[in-house]
Amino acid sequence: MSGAGSLSSLRVLGSATLACLALLAGGSAGAQSISTLTKQQQNAEQLRRDLQEKISEVQKRIDESESDRKDVTESLRQSETEISRLNARLDDLDSQRDKTERELDDLRKEQGGQQALMEQRREELAEQLKSQYTHGVSPWAALLSGDDAQKIGRDLTYLSYVAKARTQAVVALNTEIARLDAVKKKVADHQKTLQGLADEAEKNKADLEQEKQKHAAVLARVEADLTARRSQASKLARDDKRLNALIDDIQSSIVKQREAIRRAAIEREAREAARRKALQQAREQAARQAAQQAALAARRAEQAARQAQAAREAEQRAYMTAEEQTEALRRARENAPSAGAGVQPAPDLNAASRSAAAAREQLAQARIQRENLEIDREKARLARLRAEEQVQLAQKAREDERKAAAEASSGSAGLQRGAPWPVRGSVQGRFGTPRPDTGDVWRGILIRAGSGTPVKAVGSGNVVYASWVQGFGNLIIVEHQNGYLSVYGYNQSLSKRVGDRVRIGETIARVGATGGQVDPGLYFEIRQGSTPVDPVSWLAR
C-alpha cells in the first residue's frame, strides 16, 4: 500500500477514535438509563476490537516507513479550532448588526413621531398666545378696564385657566423636546455601535483569512508528515487504554444503577406497605369506633325505652289514683248534707276536693314526663339507626375498595355492572323521582356524605371534563371504553384534569357543597351516550 493510503487510513482512524471516545466519555454520566449504558458498552467493545486491529496494521506499516516526521496534529487542531471560533464570531457580529439596524429603524421612526409631536405642541402653544394677544386678554387689561368688580373677577378667573393651559402646553413641549433629545442620543449610540460592529467584523474577516492561510500551510505539512508517524502506535495504545477504562466505568455505572433501582424498589415497596398498613389500621380504628358508637347508641336506646315504659306505668298509676280521688270526691258530695247560703262545706268534702286536684296535677306531670321520655327514646332509636348505618357504610366502603382493587388488577376496561360506589352515604335523591328544588326529575342520585370525603371513579376511563358548571358546581366527567359516561357534581375540589387516565377506585374529587348547595353531598349520574340511566342499577348492592 502506498504512503498516501497509509496516511489517509491513520488520519481517519485517529479522528474516529477521538470522536468516539469524546462521545462515550460525555455520555457516561450516572443519570443515564441502564439500556443506554448497555448500548454504549456494546459500541465501546466493538470500537476496541476495531482499534486493536488497526493498531496491528499501523505498527506493521510504521516499521516499514520512516519515523522522523514531526507530529503536527496539535497545530492542526489549534488552527481548525481558531477558524471555527472566527466563523462563529462573524455570525454573531452579523446577528448583532441585523438586530442593531432593526432597532435603529425603530428609533428613526420614533424620532419622526417625536418630531411631529413636538411641532404639534409648538403649534398649540403658538395658537394660545396668538388668541390671547388678538383678543387683548391680560390681567392688567382686566384690572384697568373700569368694569364692575364681578366682571373683572370672571375675567381674571378665565385668565387663570388660560395661564394653566399655557403652562401645561409649555411643560408638554419641554417633555417632547427632552424625549426627542433622548431618541436622538439613542440613534447616535446605535450608529456608533453599528460602526464598531462593522470595524470588528472587518478585523475578524482579516484574521479569518490569515488563519485560513495558516491552516492551509499546516494542512500541507500534515499531508507530508503523516506519511510515517511512529508515534501513532503509542497514541493508539493510549486510546485503547482509555477505551478500556471507559468500558470499566460504564460497567460500574450499570452495576450501581441496578443496585440503586433495586434499593429504590425495596424502599418504595416498604413505604407502600407502611401506607397500606397505616390506612388499614385507621380503617380498623374507625370501624371499632363506629361499632362502639353503635353499641353505645343501642344501650342508650334500650335505657330510654325502659325509662319510657316506666313513665307509662307511672302515668297509668297516676291515672288510676286520679280516678279514685275523683270517685271519692263524687261520693263525698253525695253524702254531704244540704247547706244554705253562707254555710261552709263539710271537712270531708274539702279534703276530697284537695286530693282529687292533687291527683289530677300528678297525672298531668306524669303525662309530661312520659312524653319527654318518649321523645328521648325516639332520639336514641334514631341515633342507634344512624350509628348502625355508619357501621354498614364503612363495611360496604371496604368492600368497594377490595372490589376496585380486584378489577384494577384484572385489567377490565370500561364500566361494569356491580361497580363500587363513588362514595358511601345516605341516598336522598332517587333517579326518576321529582326534584323539590327545580320541579324536574332526578337524572341521577344525590348521596349525602361528609365534606372532603374522597370521590372514587366507578370505572377506568379518561377524564373528558373537569370544571365548574352552574347548578352542578365543580363537575368532573369520566368517559369509559364501552360508551358510558360517569358524572360527578357538587364537588369541593377536583383532583384530575382533562386528558388524565384514571383507574377504577382512584380518587378523582372531594365531596363538597358547590353549585348552590347547602349541605355537602355528591350528585352522581351514569349516561349511555347522552341518555341518563339509573346509576343504582350499575352499582354494587
Side-chain angles (χ1 to χ4, degrees), residues 217-284:
V218 172
L219 191 59
R221 286 202 313 273
V222 169
E223 290 293 335
D225 294 340
L226 285 183
T227 55
R229 296 183 55 194
R230 187 173 296 276
S231 60
Q232 186 70 28
S234 59
K235 177 182 178 299
L236 291 176
R238 290 194 302 271
D239 289 346
D240 184 53
K241 184 177 180 180
R242 289 169 56 197
L243 191 57
N244 289 334
L246 179 60
I247 292 173
D248 293 341
D249 182 62
I250 291 176
Q251 182 61 33
S252 176
S253 297
I254 292 175
V255 172
K256 290 179 180 179
Q257 283 205 12
R258 285 176 177 166
E259 178 63 18
I261 292 173
R262 186 185 68 84
R263 290 181 179 178
I266 294 174
E267 293 176 357
R268 185 167 57 253
E269 182 61 28
R271 289 195 300 270
E272 182 63 19
R275 187 190 68 81
R276 289 196 297 267
K277 182 178 179 180
L279 182 61
Q280 182 64 25
Q281 291 176 348
R283 289 171 179 167
E284 292 175 356

Coordinates of all heavy atoms in Angstrom, one line a residue, residues 217-284:
A217 N -1.3 26.0 5.3 CA 0.1 25.6 5.5 C 0.2 24.4 6.4 O 1.0 23.5 6.1 CB 0.9 26.8 6.0
V218 N -0.5 24.4 7.5 CA -0.5 23.3 8.5 C -0.9 22.0 7.8 O -0.4 20.9 8.0 CB -1.3 23.6 9.7 CG1 -1.4 22.4 10.6 CG2 -0.6 24.8 10.5
L219 N -2.1 22.2 7.1 CA -2.6 21.0 6.4 C -1.6 20.4 5.4 O -1.5 19.2 5.2 CB -3.9 21.4 5.7 CG -4.8 20.2 5.2 CD1 -5.2 19.3 6.3 CD2 -6.0 20.8 4.5
A220 N -0.9 21.3 4.7 CA 0.1 20.8 3.8 C 1.2 20.0 4.5 O 1.7 19.0 4.0 CB 0.7 22.0 3.0
R221 N 1.6 20.6 5.7 CA 2.6 19.8 6.5 C 2.1 18.5 6.9 O 2.8 17.5 6.9 CB 3.0 20.7 7.7 CG 3.9 21.8 7.3 CD 4.8 22.3 8.5 NE 4.0 22.4 9.7 CZ 3.3 23.5 10.1 NH1 3.4 24.6 9.2 NH2 2.6 23.6 11.2
V222 N 0.8 18.5 7.3 CA 0.2 17.2 7.8 C 0.2 16.2 6.7 O 0.5 15.0 6.9 CB -1.3 17.5 8.3 CG1 -2.0 16.1 8.5 CG2 -1.2 18.2 9.6
E223 N -0.2 16.6 5.5 CA -0.2 15.7 4.3 C 1.2 15.1 4.1 O 1.3 14.0 3.6 CB -0.7 16.4 3.1 CG -2.2 16.8 3.1 CD -3.1 15.6 3.1 OE1 -2.6 14.5 2.6 OE2 -4.2 15.7 3.6
A224 N 2.2 15.9 4.3 CA 3.6 15.5 4.1 C 4.1 14.6 5.3 O 4.8 13.6 5.1 CB 4.5 16.6 3.9
D225 N 3.8 15.1 6.5 CA 4.4 14.5 7.7 C 3.7 13.2 8.1 O 4.3 12.4 8.8 CB 4.4 15.5 8.9 CG 5.3 16.7 8.6 OD1 6.2 16.6 7.8 OD2 5.1 17.7 9.3
L226 N 2.4 13.1 7.8 CA 1.6 11.9 8.3 C 1.9 10.7 7.5 O 1.2 9.6 7.7 CB 0.1 12.2 8.3 CG -0.4 13.1 9.4 CD1 -1.8 13.3 9.4 CD2 0.1 12.6 10.8
T227 N 2.8 10.7 6.5 CA 3.1 9.5 5.7 C 3.8 8.5 6.6 O 3.7 7.3 6.3 CB 4.1 9.9 4.6 OG1 5.2 10.6 5.1 CG2 3.3 10.8 3.6
A228 N 4.5 8.9 7.6 CA 5.1 7.9 8.5 C 5.1 8.5 9.9 O 5.9 9.5 10.2 CB 6.5 7.6 8.1
R229 N 4.3 8.0 10.8 CA 4.2 8.6 12.2 C 4.4 7.4 13.1 O 3.5 6.6 13.4 CB 2.9 9.2 12.4 CG 2.6 10.4 11.5 CD 1.3 11.1 11.9 NE 1.2 11.4 13.3 CZ 0.1 11.7 13.9 NH1 -1.1 11.7 13.2 NH2 0.1 12.0 15.1
R230 N 5.7 7.4 13.6 CA 6.0 6.3 14.6 C 5.2 6.5 15.9 O 4.9 5.5 16.6 CB 7.5 6.3 14.9 CG 7.9 5.1 15.7 CD 9.4 5.0 15.8 NE 10.1 4.8 14.6 CZ 10.2 3.7 14.0 NH1 9.8 2.6 14.6 NH2 10.8 3.6 12.8
S231 N 4.9 7.7 16.2 CA 4.2 7.9 17.4 C 2.7 7.5 17.4 O 2.0 7.4 18.4 CB 4.2 9.4 17.8 OG 3.6 10.2 16.8
Q232 N 2.2 7.1 16.2 CA 0.8 6.7 16.0 C 0.5 5.4 16.8 O -0.5 5.3 17.4 CB 0.5 6.5 14.6 CG -1.0 6.2 14.3 CD -1.8 7.5 14.6 OE1 -1.4 8.6 14.4 NE2 -3.1 7.3 15.0
A233 N 1.5 4.6 16.9 CA 1.3 3.3 17.6 C 1.1 3.5 19.1 O 0.1 3.0 19.7 CB 2.5 2.4 17.4
S234 N 1.9 4.4 19.7 CA 1.8 4.7 21.1 C 0.5 5.4 21.4 O -0.2 5.2 22.4 CB 3.0 5.5 21.6 OG 3.1 6.7 20.9
K235 N 0.1 6.3 20.4 CA -1.2 7.1 20.6 C -2.4 6.1 20.6 O -3.3 6.2 21.4 CB -1.3 8.1 19.5 CG -2.6 8.9 19.5 CD -2.7 9.9 18.4 CE -4.0 10.6 18.4 NZ -5.1 9.7 18.3
L236 N -2.3 5.2 19.6 CA -3.4 4.2 19.5 C -3.5 3.4 20.8 O -4.5 3.0 21.3 CB -3.3 3.4 18.3 CG -3.6 4.1 17.0 CD1 -3.3 3.2 15.8 CD2 -5.0 4.7 16.9
A237 N -2.3 3.0 21.3 CA -2.3 2.2 22.6 C -2.9 3.0 23.7 O -3.6 2.5 24.5 CB -0.8 1.9 22.9
R238 N -2.6 4.3 23.8 CA -3.2 5.1 24.8 C -4.7 5.2 24.6 O -5.5 5.1 25.6 CB -2.6 6.6 24.8 CG -1.1 6.6 25.3 CD -0.7 8.1 25.5 NE -0.9 8.9 24.4 CZ 0.1 9.1 23.4 NH1 1.2 8.5 23.6 NH2 -0.1 9.9 22.4
D239 N -5.1 5.3 23.4 CA -6.6 5.3 23.1 C -7.2 4.0 23.6 O -8.3 4.0 24.1 CB -6.9 5.6 21.6 CG -6.5 7.0 21.2 OD1 -6.3 7.8 22.1 OD2 -6.5 7.2 20.0
D240 N -6.5 2.9 23.3 CA -7.0 1.6 23.7 C -7.2 1.5 25.2 O -8.1 1.0 25.8 CB -6.1 0.5 23.2 CG -6.6 -0.9 23.5 OD1 -7.8 -1.1 23.2 OD2 -5.9 -1.7 24.1
K241 N -6.2 2.1 25.9 CA -6.2 2.1 27.4 C -7.4 2.9 27.9 O -8.1 2.5 28.8 CB -4.9 2.6 27.9 CG -4.7 2.6 29.4 CD -3.4 3.1 29.9 CE -3.3 3.0 31.4 NZ -1.9 3.5 31.9
R242 N -7.5 4.1 27.3 CA -8.6 5.0 27.7 C -10.0 4.3 27.4 O -10.9 4.4 28.2 CB -8.6 6.3 27.0 CG -7.4 7.2 27.4 CD -7.3 8.4 26.4 NE -8.5 9.1 26.3 CZ -8.7 10.0 25.3 NH1 -7.8 10.1 24.4 NH2 -9.9 10.6 25.2
L243 N -10.1 3.6 26.3 CA -11.3 2.9 26.0 C -11.6 1.8 27.0 O -12.8 1.6 27.4 CB -11.2 2.3 24.5 CG -12.5 1.8 23.9 CD1 -13.5 2.9 23.9 CD2 -12.2 1.3 22.5
N244 N -10.6 1.0 27.4 CA -10.8 0.0 28.4 C -11.3 0.6 29.7 O -12.2 0.1 30.4 CB -9.5 -0.8 28.6 CG -9.1 -1.6 27.4 OD1 -10.0 -2.1 26.7 ND2 -7.8 -1.9 27.3
A245 N -10.7 1.7 30.1 CA -11.1 2.4 31.3 C -12.6 2.9 31.2 O -13.3 2.8 32.2 CB -10.2 3.6 31.6
L246 N -12.9 3.4 30.0 CA -14.3 3.8 29.8 C -15.3 2.7 29.9 O -16.4 2.8 30.5 CB -14.4 4.5 28.5 CG -15.8 5.1 28.1 CD1 -16.3 6.1 29.1 CD2 -15.8 5.7 26.7
I247 N -14.9 1.5 29.3 CA -15.8 0.4 29.4 C -16.0 -0.1 30.8 O -17.1 -0.4 31.3 CB -15.2 -0.8 28.5 CG1 -15.3 -0.4 27.0 CG2 -16.0 -2.1 28.7 CD1 -14.6 -1.4 26.1
D248 N -14.9 -0.1 31.6 CA -15.0 -0.4 33.0 C -15.9 0.5 33.8 O -16.7 0.2 34.6 CB -13.6 -0.5 33.6 CG -12.7 -1.6 33.1 OD1 -13.3 -2.5 32.5 OD2 -11.5 -1.5 33.2
D249 N -15.8 1.8 33.4 CA -16.6 2.8 34.1 C -18.1 2.6 33.7 O -18.9 2.8 34.6 CB -16.1 4.2 33.6 CG -16.9 5.3 34.3 OD1 -16.9 5.4 35.6 OD2 -17.6 6.1 33.6
I250 N -18.3 2.3 32.5 CA -19.7 2.1 32.1 C -20.3 0.9 32.9 O -21.4 0.9 33.4 CB -19.8 1.9 30.6 CG1 -19.5 3.2 29.8 CG2 -21.2 1.4 30.2 CD1 -19.5 3.0 28.3
Q251 N -19.5 -0.2 32.9 CA -19.9 -1.4 33.6 C -20.2 -1.1 35.1 O -21.2 -1.6 35.7 CB -18.9 -2.5 33.5 CG -19.3 -3.8 34.2 CD -20.5 -4.4 33.5 OE1 -20.8 -4.3 32.4 NE2 -21.3 -5.1 34.4
S252 N -19.3 -0.3 35.7 CA -19.5 0.1 37.1 C -20.8 0.9 37.3 O -21.5 0.7 38.2 CB -18.3 0.9 37.6 OG -18.5 1.3 38.9
S253 N -21.0 1.8 36.3 CA -22.3 2.6 36.4 C -23.5 1.7 36.3 O -24.5 2.0 36.9 CB -22.3 3.7 35.3 OG -21.2 4.6 35.4
I254 N -23.4 0.7 35.4 CA -24.6 -0.2 35.2 C -24.9 -0.9 36.5 O -26.0 -1.0 37.0 CB -24.3 -1.2 34.1 CG1 -24.3 -0.4 32.7 CG2 -25.4 -2.3 34.1 CD1 -24.0 -1.3 31.6
V255 N -23.8 -1.4 37.2 CA -24.0 -2.1 38.4 C -24.6 -1.2 39.5 O -25.5 -1.6 40.3 CB -22.6 -2.7 38.9 CG1 -22.7 -3.3 40.3 CG2 -22.1 -3.8 37.9
K256 N -24.0 0.0 39.6 CA -24.5 1.0 40.6 C -26.0 1.3 40.4 O -26.8 1.4 41.3 CB -23.7 2.2 40.6 CG -22.3 2.0 41.1 CD -21.5 3.3 41.0 CE -20.1 3.1 41.6 NZ -19.3 4.4 41.5
Q257 N -26.3 1.5 39.1 CA -27.7 1.9 38.8 C -28.6 0.7 39.1 O -29.7 0.9 39.6 CB -27.9 2.3 37.3 CG -27.4 3.7 37.1 CD -28.0 4.3 35.8 OE1 -29.0 3.8 35.3 NE2 -27.5 5.4 35.4
R258 N -28.3 -0.5 38.8 CA -29.1 -1.6 39.1 C -29.3 -1.8 40.6 O -30.4 -2.1 41.1 CB -28.5 -2.9 38.5 CG -28.7 -3.0 37.0 CD -27.9 -4.3 36.5 NE -28.2 -4.4 35.0 CZ -27.5 -5.2 34.3 NH1 -26.5 -5.9 34.8 NH2 -27.8 -5.3 33.0
E259 N -28.2 -1.5 41.3 CA -28.3 -1.6 42.8 C -29.2 -0.5 43.3 O -30.1 -0.7 44.2 CB -26.9 -1.5 43.4 CG -26.9 -1.5 44.9 CD -27.5 -2.8 45.5 OE1 -27.5 -3.8 44.8 OE2 -27.8 -2.8 46.7
A260 N -29.1 0.7 42.7 CA -29.9 1.9 43.2 C -31.4 1.6 42.8 O -32.3 1.9 43.6 CB -29.5 3.1 42.5
I261 N -31.6 1.0 41.7 CA -33.0 0.7 41.3 C -33.6 -0.4 42.2 O -34.8 -0.3 42.7 CB -33.1 0.2 39.8 CG1 -32.8 1.3 38.9 CG2 -34.4 -0.4 39.5 CD1 -32.6 0.9 37.4
R262 N -32.8 -1.4 42.6 CA -33.2 -2.4 43.5 C -33.6 -1.8 44.9 O -34.6 -2.1 45.5 CB -32.2 -3.5 43.6 CG -32.6 -4.7 44.4 CD -31.4 -5.7 44.6 NE -30.4 -5.1 45.5 CZ -30.5 -5.1 46.8 NH1 -31.5 -5.7 47.4 NH2 -29.5 -4.6 47.5
R263 N -32.7 -1.0 45.4 CA -32.9 -0.4 46.7 C -34.1 0.6 46.6 O -34.9 0.6 47.6 CB -31.7 0.4 47.1 CG -30.5 -0.4 47.5 CD -29.3 0.4 47.9 NE -28.2 -0.4 48.3 CZ -27.0 0.0 48.6 NH1 -26.8 1.4 48.7 NH2 -26.0 -0.8 49.0
A264 N -34.3 1.3 45.5 CA -35.4 2.2 45.4 C -36.7 1.4 45.4 O -37.7 1.8 46.0 CB -35.3 3.1 44.2
A265 N -36.7 0.3 44.7 CA -37.9 -0.6 44.7 C -38.2 -1.1 46.0 O -39.4 -1.2 46.4 CB -37.7 -1.7 43.7
I266 N -37.2 -1.5 46.8 CA -37.4 -2.0 48.1 C -38.0 -0.9 49.0 O -39.0 -1.1 49.8 CB -36.1 -2.6 48.7 CG1 -35.7 -3.8 47.9 CG2 -36.3 -2.9 50.2 CD1 -34.3 -4.4 48.4
E267 N -37.4 0.3 49.0 CA -37.9 1.4 49.8 C -39.3 1.8 49.4 O -40.1 2.1 50.2 CB -36.9 2.6 49.6 CG -35.5 2.4 50.2 CD -34.6 3.5 50.0 OE1 -35.1 4.5 49.3 OE2 -33.5 3.5 50.4
R268 N -39.5 1.8 48.0 CA -40.9 2.1 47.6 C -41.9 1.1 48.1 O -43.0 1.5 48.5 CB -40.9 2.2 46.1 CG -42.2 2.7 45.5 CD -42.1 3.1 44.0 NE -41.5 1.9 43.2 CZ -40.3 1.9 42.7 NH1 -39.4 2.9 43.0 NH2 -39.9 0.9 42.0
E269 N -41.5 -0.2 48.0 CA -42.5 -1.2 48.5 C -42.7 -1.1 50.0 O -43.8 -1.3 50.5 CB -41.9 -2.6 48.1 CG -42.8 -3.7 48.5 CD -44.1 -3.7 47.9 OE1 -44.2 -3.2 46.7 OE2 -45.1 -4.2 48.5
A270 N -41.6 -0.8 50.7 CA -41.7 -0.6 52.2 C -42.6 0.6 52.5 O -43.5 0.5 53.4 CB -40.3 -0.4 52.8
R271 N -42.5 1.7 51.8 CA -43.3 2.9 52.0 C -44.8 2.5 51.7 O -45.7 2.9 52.4 CB -42.8 4.1 51.2 CG -41.6 4.7 51.7 CD -41.3 6.1 51.1 NE -41.3 6.0 49.6 CZ -40.2 5.8 48.9 NH1 -39.0 5.7 49.6 NH2 -40.2 5.7 47.6
E272 N -45.0 1.8 50.6 CA -46.3 1.4 50.2 C -46.9 0.5 51.2 O -48.1 0.6 51.6 CB -46.3 0.8 48.8 CG -47.7 0.4 48.3 CD -48.6 1.6 48.1 OE1 -48.1 2.7 48.0 OE2 -49.8 1.4 48.0
A273 N -46.1 -0.5 51.7 CA -46.6 -1.4 52.7 C -47.0 -0.6 54.0 O -48.0 -0.9 54.6 CB -45.6 -2.5 53.0
A274 N -46.1 0.3 54.4 CA -46.4 1.1 55.6 C -47.7 2.0 55.4 O -48.5 2.1 56.3 CB -45.2 2.0 55.9
R275 N -47.8 2.5 54.2 CA -49.0 3.3 53.9 C -50.3 2.5 54.0 O -51.3 2.8 54.6 CB -48.9 4.0 52.5 CG -50.0 5.0 52.2 CD -50.0 5.4 50.8 NE -50.3 4.3 49.9 CZ -51.6 3.9 49.7 NH1 -52.6 4.6 50.2 NH2 -51.8 2.9 48.9
R276 N -50.2 1.2 53.4 CA -51.3 0.4 53.4 C -51.6 -0.1 54.8 O -52.8 -0.2 55.2 CB -51.1 -0.9 52.5 CG -51.1 -0.6 51.0 CD -51.2 -1.9 50.2 NE -50.0 -2.7 50.5 CZ -49.0 -2.8 49.7 NH1 -48.8 -2.0 48.7 NH2 -48.0 -3.6 50.0
K277 N -50.6 -0.4 55.6 CA -50.8 -0.8 57.0 C -51.4 0.3 57.8 O -52.4 0.1 58.6 CB -49.4 -1.2 57.6 CG -49.6 -1.7 59.0 CD -48.2 -2.1 59.6 CE -48.3 -2.6 61.0 NZ -47.0 -3.0 61.5
A278 N -50.9 1.6 57.6 CA -51.5 2.7 58.4 C -52.9 3.0 58.0 O -53.8 3.2 58.8 CB -50.6 4.0 58.1
L279 N -53.2 2.8 56.6 CA -54.5 3.0 56.2 C -55.5 1.9 56.7 O -56.6 2.2 57.2 CB -54.6 3.0 54.7 CG -55.9 3.3 54.0 CD1 -56.5 4.6 54.4 CD2 -55.8 3.2 52.5
Q280 N -55.0 0.7 56.8 CA -55.8 -0.4 57.3 C -56.0 -0.2 58.8 O -57.1 -0.4 59.3 CB -55.0 -1.7 57.0 CG -55.8 -3.0 57.5 CD -57.1 -3.1 56.8 OE1 -57.3 -2.7 55.6 NE2 -58.1 -3.8 57.4
Q281 N -55.0 0.2 59.5 CA -55.2 0.5 61.0 C -56.2 1.6 61.2 O -57.0 1.5 62.1 CB -53.8 0.8 61.6 CG -52.8 -0.3 61.6 CD -51.5 0.1 62.2 OE1 -51.2 1.3 62.3 NE2 -50.6 -0.9 62.5
A282 N -56.1 2.7 60.4 CA -57.0 3.8 60.5 C -58.4 3.3 60.2 O -59.4 3.6 60.9 CB -56.7 4.9 59.6
R283 N -58.6 2.4 59.2 CA -59.9 1.9 58.9 C -60.4 1.0 60.0 O -61.6 1.1 60.4 CB -59.9 1.2 57.6 CG -59.7 2.0 56.4 CD -59.4 1.2 55.1 NE -59.3 2.0 53.9 CZ -58.8 1.6 52.8 NH1 -58.5 0.3 52.7 NH2 -58.7 2.4 51.8
E284 N -59.5 0.2 60.5 CA -60.0 -0.7 61.6 C -60.3 0.1 62.9 O -61.3 -0.2 63.6 CB -58.8 -1.7 61.9 CG -58.6 -2.7 60.8 CD -57.4 -3.6 61.1 OE1 -56.7 -3.4 62.2 OE2 -57.2 -4.5 60.3

